[in-house]
Amino acid sequence: RANYKQAIVDYCLEAGMKNLLEADFIVEANDQFHLLSEKIKNREGKLNSQRILFEFKEWLQKEIKKRKSNIE
């Protein structure tokens, strides 16, 4: 879980979107993390931390791009 939280901080700061570190986005990111964890557990029969983090980072990048384009 620490890696996923660090990914949120790193990606948001890199994108210059510190506002995403507020509660609304963090709650959404947490929900997504749990959905991905459950999906991977069902698919693989166990939790795979590396796979969860990989898919979470993919979601995070897409979500940041989407929100950034909505601002511009």
Side-chain angles (χ1 to χ4, degrees):
R1 286 187 58 99
N3 290 335
Y4 118 86
K5 289 181 180 184
Q6 188 62 51
I8 294 171
V9 172
D10 292 344
Y11 281 63
C12 290
L13 293 178
E14 183 180 310
M17 298 187 71
K18 292 181 184 178
N19 62 313
L20 294 183
L21 297 174
E22 299 293 331
D24 289 342
F25 184 74
I26 298 301
V27 168
E28 184 178 343
N30 190 53
D31 289 345
Q32 186 64 31
F33 175 80
H34 287 288
L35 289 171
L36 287 170
S37 297
E38 191 64 31
K39 180 179 106 178
I40 290 167
K41 182 180 177 186
N42 290 337
R43 185 174 62 212
E44 297 185 13
K46 63 179 181 171
L47 292 175
N48 179 335
S49 298
Q50 290 179 337
R51 187 72 191 155
I52 294 167
L53 185 60
F54 177 80
E55 290 192 24
F56 179 76
K57 285 181 176 180
E58 284 187 331
W59 172 84
L60 188 57
Q61 288 176 333
K62 289 177 189 172
E63 193 63 27
I64 289 172
K65 276 186 181 180
K66 181 173 78 174
R67 289 171 185 250
K68 201 168 192 173
S69 68
N70 288 342
I71 292 172
E72 297 171 345

